Amino acid sequence: MDFFRAASALLSEIERQNPGLLDQIGVVDFNPVVFQTLKGRGIHVTYGDISNVDTLVHAGVGKAEIIILSVPDSLLKGANNEKLVRHVRSLNTAAKIISTADVLSDVRTSTPPEPTM
């Protein structure tokens, strides 16, 4: 997840309610101040651009169960949440993805493919 306001509030709530979950959370952010702050709090953080597939691979998106894309399109440069969801889905077909949308008409629901045995 890129660490924006909603993600910050969610992480703070998890720290307060169930700090044991923090070991299972990873954050991706390209802001050096946010990176150092999170690192200082003991949060696993990867420095990088969430629109870069290599960054997502390095951050472990392929193994994540839940992925939250919290930065609105209006603040993304050269990308949008629809594109990010496609990148994430190409790396992880099973994860639950929660993404920000600027307007309701941008929202499309999809279900992951059924696992094959």
Side-chain angles (χ1 to χ4, degrees):
M1 100 176 101
D2 197 311
F3 201 71
F4 196 63
R5 287 181 206 111
S8 177
L10 177 61
L11 186 60
S12 293
E13 192 63 19
I14 291 169
E15 282 178 310
R16 193 173 69 73
Q17 299 255 348
N18 193 346
L21 288 177
L22 295 176
D23 291 341
Q24 299 176 43
I25 295 174
V27 175
V28 176
D29 204 294
F30 65 95
N31 181 321
V33 174
V34 171
F35 177 83
Q36 289 301 325
T37 301
L38 291 173
K39 203 169 174 160
R41 287 166 60 187
I43 306 298
H44 174 74
V45 58
T46 300
Y47 183 81
D49 180 358
I50 60 169
S51 65
N52 182 298
V53 174
D54 290 336
T55 299
L56 297 174
V57 169
H58 178 71
V61 164
K63 298 176 187 169
E65 292 179 36
I66 300 171
I67 299 163
I68 301 173
L69 302 169
S70 64
V71 179
D73 286 348
S74 59
L75 296 179
L76 292 170
K77 300 207 183 337
N80 60 43
N81 278 290
E82 183 179 355
K83 179 181 174 183
L84 294 177
V85 168
R86 282 196 306 266
H87 282 318
V88 168
R89 182 59 68 214
S90 73
L91 298 170
N92 187 329
T93 59
K96 302 289 185 202
I97 302 172
I98 301 166
S99 178
T100 301
D102 287 343
V103 292
L104 188 57
S105 62
D106 290 343
V107 176
R108 291 188 196 117
T109 61
S110 65
T111 55
E114 291 295 320
T116 57
M117 297 195 168

